[in-house]
Amino acid sequence: DTAVSQTPKYLVTQMGNDKSIKCEQNLGHDTMYWYKQDSKKFLKIMFSYNNKELIINETVPNRFSPKSPDKAHLNLHINSLELGDSAVYFCASSLIGEEQFFGPGTRLTVL
Amino acid sequence: AQKITQTQPGMFVQEKEAVTLDCTYDTSDPSYGLFWYKQPSSGEMIFLIYQGSYDQQNATEGRYSLNFQKARKSANLVISASQLGDSAMYFCAMRGPMDTGRRALTFGSGTRLQVQP
């Protein structure tokens, strides 16, 4: 059984397009996250979200928006894609204080 | 603000030997958590080990142990009896206090470990 799943695994798109990445966790966790891993492998938090609170990293452009239809899902919507958005995006989830479980990642390439 | 520093971009170790991956951190919070993750070439992030700031003993998980020196603000990962499958990128990460919205992880820049036969 997959704990944290993401779709799609690969996403290739043109500059200026709008795209979404979906994330689902079946672990019953209360908090979900989006991280971005750049070409130098550096990982940085973009958003963390539970049913009470959305925490946004202030460096994230407002073209990026998380959308949570329910506690098990946290999707990432990106408007007007730019070349610099090319990266691997990881979804993760956790319970309070415990380790975070990561999804397999979505490799986004903007042409 | 939290900061994690990994000063070893790359490390080599012979199969069956032990290796230590360095990690230092900086935070003003009295309560925090330290994590190590492994990222093989396939790209997934695999949780290895966790140390809480108030834990009295160093964490161990199989061949992994965390050498936690609070006064020095270091949380080094020790891998004993290295195996070829240990070749991967290793990330040290920190989480803030659990009772705030700062549960997200701050990551170091990673250490690429190569195990040689």
Side-chain angles (χ1 to χ4, degrees):
Chain A
D1 289 341
T2 302
V4 183
S5 60
Q6 293 179 230
T7 52
K9 189 167 176 63
Y10 300 96
L11 184 54
V12 181
T13 188
Q14 298 287 332
M15 235 176 8
N17 285 349
D18 301 340
K19 291 293 179 184
S20 291
I21 305 172
K22 295 185 176 181
C23 177
E24 176 181 3
Q25 55 96 3
N26 62 6
L27 299 167
H29 287 170
D30 64 346
T31 306
M32 297 182 73
Y33 313 82
W34 279 105
Y35 291 88
K36 178 181 179 180
Q37 186 173 42
D38 63 22
S39 58
K40 296 183 178 179
K41 299 291 188 182
F42 189 67
L43 280 148
K44 194 169 185 180
I45 183 67
M46 300 179 71
F47 305 100
S48 64
Y49 182 78
N50 62 23
N51 58 358
K52 299 176 185 177
E53 193 174 21
L54 170 66
I55 306 293
I56 302 172
N57 185 323
E58 64 272 11
T59 66
V60 174
N62 58 15
R63 299 180 295 102
F64 290 78
S65 57
K67 297 184 191 303
S68 180
D70 55 57
K71 289 176 66 174
H73 297 82
L74 183 65
N75 303 327
L76 181 64
H77 189 74
I78 316 167
N79 290 327
S80 303
L81 278 155
E82 300 178 357
L83 294 176
D85 298 332
S86 295
V88 179
Y89 292 85
F90 284 99
C91 177
S93 70
S94 73
L95 283 173
I96 296 176
E98 296 186 355
E99 70 268 22
Q100 294 184 15
F101 290 84
F102 282 74
T106 296
R107 182 174 294 277
L108 171 65
T109 303
V110 182
L111 303 175
Chain B
Q2 299 175 338
K3 186 176 180 181
I4 294 280
T5 302
Q6 294 179 255
T7 58
Q8 306 154 314
M11 289 278 288
F12 288 91
V13 65
Q14 290 293 123
E15 197 176 5
K16 300 181 184 178
E17 292 186 351
V19 63
T20 298
L21 306 184
D22 294 341
C23 173
T24 58
Y25 60 91
D26 191 23
T27 181
S28 56
D29 294 313
S31 174
Y32 51 88
L34 295 158
F35 301 79
W36 279 91
Y37 283 84
K38 172 184 178 181
Q39 186 176 42
S41 58
S42 51
E44 70 268 33
M45 294 289 290
I46 302 168
F47 166 75
L48 295 178
I49 197 166
Y50 164 78
Q51 180 86 40
S53 58
Y54 293 122
D55 293 344
Q56 294 296 313
Q57 294 190 338
N58 287 346
T60 59
E61 289 285 349
R63 293 187 299 110
Y64 304 108
S65 60
L66 200 152
N67 184 0
F68 181 46
Q69 297 189 44
K70 196 169 183 177
R72 294 186 178 184
K73 293 190 174 180
S74 73
N76 299 339
L77 178 70
V78 180
I79 305 174
S80 62
S82 296
Q83 301 172 355
L84 295 178
D86 294 334
S87 294
M89 195 80 164
Y90 288 81
F91 291 97
C92 182
M94 168 185 281
R95 184 210 65 230
M98 289 184 282
D99 58 347
T100 71
R102 291 184 285 132
R103 300 178 199 168
L105 297 176
T106 300
F107 284 87
S109 54
T111 296
R112 183 170 297 281
L113 177 67
Q114 296 187 59
V115 181
Q116 297 176 319

